[in-house]
């Protein structure tokens, strides 16, 4: 829904709209709005006077015609293609006089309302709106049907007005995309009644629109005047801010490597905001990989909003923090519909007041949004979704924009928003992107659903089980044949059986009310994910078949080792074999269109070396600018030493005593807090046990494989200013990045190994694919991801220009130029 904004929706361009206010005889400031899509708007005939605001019929109704409960009973919708085909088919079935896709426009004072009705029969004066669906029509929530009628009635008035009709028939046609049958509902209306209805919707919307436009003007005027809030600039910060500003106003993608300590977040947030008035940007999305990154972004935004003078008002900027549903939900034991959750009951009845309060509050971090939502008795999570539409800045996880069905991306397209993206810690977008576009399915899960699912699905499930059997026989282990195989593509017969089962599952879940954690529903989502990705399969992904003991594997995050997430799958150990994994290894294939959908995209991190690697894997275009901001730190602040031992897997037992002795010696020479990083938990545990045994006087504590928030906090709390000891952690883990321990809280780090992923069949297959795609298989698979983790981990030591400390690199290979070249240029390596 959508008002807001500065895009010229009548022309489809993003130039400012000058809308004349005839009564005052002058041109009003830029304000237009967003309609269903640019093409639709472009086809609409101009009305007599330029409007102050334009809104689509769909958005007008979504704003003003919804009432009752929030109802998220699962109802699968047709795909976009099924929807298009359904509309075409219905139009073909009508006679020669039928007018399809009728563009309509009308006014309510300064408000222009536009849209496109599906069909009109000029002989019978029947206006038609077609809605495609799958499954049982009776399962469609009543509110949704009421919304469809609201749209049709608004079209009805616009049609009466445009053709001078005193009455007409409205026909709401539900079209079943599977059965290809129509279920029409028809009513006759007088033009006067339709006009009344139209005006009753426009009235509240116009009031809201005026407020939105006023806010937008104030926001842009204030941003245009806002000075950098942290003067003087730190070293490198001005260069960073200037590059981000330029990237935003010139709509040119920018990849920035900027070291810790220069104030990166405020150095990107401020110029991106400052560019908004000039570029007429609707929204800024600040996307983070991890939860702590959100807080850092919010802190920076708070600084920009804060009044520049003590008595002045805060900058009028609406900021919202998006939080995952499981963190925002007030009733995790309930389902999101009015019969189950009290905060879903009457949601839309109380939404207008909550929306008003939330817009007035402007600052909507997790706590503030929760307060507003609970004060109005509605769900905070879904109020957050609503307020995204009315916010200037959205802070949230990468998922919200880059995932397959990402909300922010969907809204951007639907509303034709002009957006800027700031992607924080962008090195993480490579493994996260791989994870978003990977999926897997096992024989075991299929068997479990056969056991526990409804009998009606048995035939389709058996069809897939037969194909699992075929694969099992075809790929039976024998002699040299490994338990893991790389396939050229998803097996055709298996995929056909999967599609048939997926369709049957979709029809079942559509016709049945299922809990969110129902095994059938979750299996449906898993089959849907892998079937969708199988259809998009290409050389950006691997297709793997693995023998499986029936236990769902522990999945790690990362490009190189099983990026597929199986969070809380709930499938238990079963005696079955066979698993297909579609493993995305070049996420840029899927991320590129998302990045192109942004008017400006700035991706930044302290570790983006080499730039080519990130540009290729993230799908950034050729014309992306690269900026490497020099570190503000001096080499004298950090003693970097290479200890020439071998930490290769087969040499670790031999070098363990030397490694432990080196750590102990450094600790005894300069007592304080250290972090010691290892490439795996196994290696960490061996080294930690040896140190404890040989040096029982040295305090040590270690990262564990599963740590909740409290345990993580306890680990970090030991690094206080007066502390003394060594924390053992894994490279690439939760303590290896995003952890800020300035001053005496951390005086040194040990890094054992180069952080290279292990050599195994999966990584070797990735290596071959990277070689074929980029001509640098070994570097893309092992060297770059490994050294990136090392630099991130070692980067915990020097956080400010007054910090001093040491980094001890425990592996002789750090002396080789190919690895040394990937270490920060301001480091000066001493001999070990
Ligand atoms: S509170 Fe939880 S269960 Fe209720 S509507 Fe919100 S997310 Fe759903």
């Amino acid at each position: 829904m959508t008002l807001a904004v500065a895009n010229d929706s009548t022309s489809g361009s993003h130039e400012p709209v000058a809308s004349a206010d005839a009564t005052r005889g002058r041109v009003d400031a830029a304000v237009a709005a967003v309609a269903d899509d640019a093409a639709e708007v472009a086809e609409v005939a101009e009305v007599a006077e330029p409007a102050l605001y334009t809104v689509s019929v769909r958005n007008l109704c979504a704003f003003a015609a919804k009432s009752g409960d929030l109802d998220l009973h699962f109802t699968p919708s047709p795909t976009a293609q099924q929807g298009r085909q359904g509309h075409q088919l219905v139009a073909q079935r009508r006679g020669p006089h039928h007018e399809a896709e009728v563009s309509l426009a009308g006014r309510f004072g300064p408000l222009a309302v536009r849209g496109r009705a599906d069909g009109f029969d000029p002989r019978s004066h029947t206006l038609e709106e077609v809605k495609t669906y799958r499954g049982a029509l009776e399962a469609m929530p009543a509110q949704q049907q009421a919304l469809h009628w609201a749209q049709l009635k608004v079209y009805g008035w616009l049609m009466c007005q445009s053709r001078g009709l005193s009455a007409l028939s409205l026909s709401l046609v539900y079209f079943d995309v599977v059965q290809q049958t129509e279920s029409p509902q028809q009513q006759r209306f007088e033009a006067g009644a339709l006009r009344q209805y139209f005006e009753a919707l426009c009235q509240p919307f116009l009031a809201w629109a005026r407020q939105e436009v006023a806010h937008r003007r104030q926001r842009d005027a204030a941003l245009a005047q806002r000075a950098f809030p942290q003067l003087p600039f730190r070293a490198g910060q001005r260069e960073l801010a200037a590059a981000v500003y330029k990237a935003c106003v010139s709509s040119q993608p920018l990849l920035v490597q900027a070291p810790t300590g220069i104030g990166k977040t405020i150095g990107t947030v401020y110029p991106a905001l400052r560019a908004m008035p000039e570029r007429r940007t609707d929204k800024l999305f600040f996307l983070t990989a991890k939860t702590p990154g959100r807080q850092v972004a919010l802190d920076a935004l708070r600084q920009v909003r804060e009044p520049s003078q003590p008595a002045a008002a805060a900058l009028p900027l609406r900021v919202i923090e998006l939080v995952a549903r499981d963190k925002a939900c007030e009733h995790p034991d309930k389902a999101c519909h009015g019969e189950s959750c009290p905060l879903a009951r009457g949601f839309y009845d109380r939404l207008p007041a909550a929306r008003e309060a939330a817009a007035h509050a402007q600052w909507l971090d997790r706590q503030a949004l929760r307060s507003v939502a609970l004060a109005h008795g509605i769900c905070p999570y879904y109020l957050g979704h609503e307020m995204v539409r009315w916010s200037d800045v959205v802070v949230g996880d990468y998922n919200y924009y880059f995932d397959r069905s990402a909300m922010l991306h969907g809204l951007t397209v639907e509303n034709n928003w002009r957006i800027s993206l700031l992607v924080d810690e962008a090195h993480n977008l490579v493994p996260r992107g791989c994870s978003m576009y990977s999926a897997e399915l096992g024989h075991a899960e299929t068997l479990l659903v056969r056991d526990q699912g409804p009998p009606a699905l048995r035939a389709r499930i058996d069809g897939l089980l037969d194909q699992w059997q075929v694969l099992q026989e075809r790929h039976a282990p024998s002699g040299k044949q490994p338990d893991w195989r790389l396939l050229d593509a998803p097996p055709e017969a298996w995929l056909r059986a999967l599609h048939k089962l997926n369709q049957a599952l979709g029809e079942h879940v559509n016709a049945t009310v299922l809990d969110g954690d129902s095994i059938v529903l979750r299996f449906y989502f898993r089959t849907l994910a892998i079937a969708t990705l199988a259809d998009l399969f290409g050389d950006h992904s691997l297709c793997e078949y693995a023998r499986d003991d029936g236990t769902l594997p522990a999945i790690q995050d990362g490009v190189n080792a099983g990026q597929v997430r199986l969070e809380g799958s709930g499938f238990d150990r079963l005696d079955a074999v066979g698993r297909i994994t579609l493993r995305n290894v070049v996420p840029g294939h899927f991320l590129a269109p998302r990045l192109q959908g942004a008017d400006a995209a700035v991706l930044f991190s302290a570790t983006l070396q080499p730039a080519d690697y990130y540009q290729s894997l993230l799908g950034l275009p050729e014309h992306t600018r690269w900026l490497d901001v020099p570190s503000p730190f001096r080499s004298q602040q950090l003693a970097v030493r290479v200890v020439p031992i071998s930490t290769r897997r087969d040499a670790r037992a031999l070098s363990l005593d030397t490694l432990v002795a080196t750590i102990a010696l450094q600790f005894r020479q300069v007592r304080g807090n250290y972090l010691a990083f290892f490439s795996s938990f196994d290696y960490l545990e061996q080294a930690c046990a040896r140190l404890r045994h040989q040096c029982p006087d040295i305090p040590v504590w270690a990262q564990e494989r599963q740590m909740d928030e409290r345990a993580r906090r306890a680990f970090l709390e030991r690094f206080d200013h007066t502390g003394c000891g060594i924390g053992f952690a894994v490279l690439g883990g939760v303590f290896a990045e995003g952890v800020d321990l300035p001053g005496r809280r951390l005086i040194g780090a040990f890094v054992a190994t180069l952080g290279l992923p292990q050599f195994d069949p999966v990584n070797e297959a990735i290596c071959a694919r990277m070689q074929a795609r980029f001509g640098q298989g070994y570097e893309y698979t092992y060297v770059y991801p490994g050294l990136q983790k090392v630099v991130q981990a070692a980067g915990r030591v020097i956080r400010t220009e007054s910090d001093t400390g040491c980094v001890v690199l425990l592996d002789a290979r750090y002396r080789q130029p190919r690895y040394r070249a990937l270490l920060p240029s301001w480091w000066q390596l001493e001999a070990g």
Side-chain angles (χ1 to χ4, degrees), residues 70 325 328-332 334-337 341-344 379-382:
L70 176 80
R325 183 187 173 280
C329 178
E330 293 288 319
H331 296 286
K334 303 200 184 317
C336 303
H337 54 80
C341 177
L343 299 181
C379 168
Y381 180 67
Y382 289 105

Side-chain angles (χ1 to χ4, degrees), residues 670-712:
V670 187
R671 293 177 72 83
N673 289 322
Y674 290 84
L675 270 165
F677 292 101
F678 294 82
S679 54
S680 68
F681 276 103
D682 285 346
Y683 198 7
L684 177 156
E685 284 157 7
Q686 287 168 26
C688 190
R690 188 69 62 94
L691 184 71
R692 279 190 166 122
H693 178 71
Q694 295 187 352
C695 310
D697 57 308
I698 298 179
V700 295
W701 57 98
Q703 180 179 354
E704 290 167 12
R705 288 169 202 259
Q706 301 290 336
M707 289 176 98
D708 58 19
E709 284 283 335
R710 190 191 297 182
R712 289 182 193 182

Side-chain angles (χ1 to χ4, degrees), residues 380 633 683 720:
F633 306 138
Y683 198 7
D720 65 24

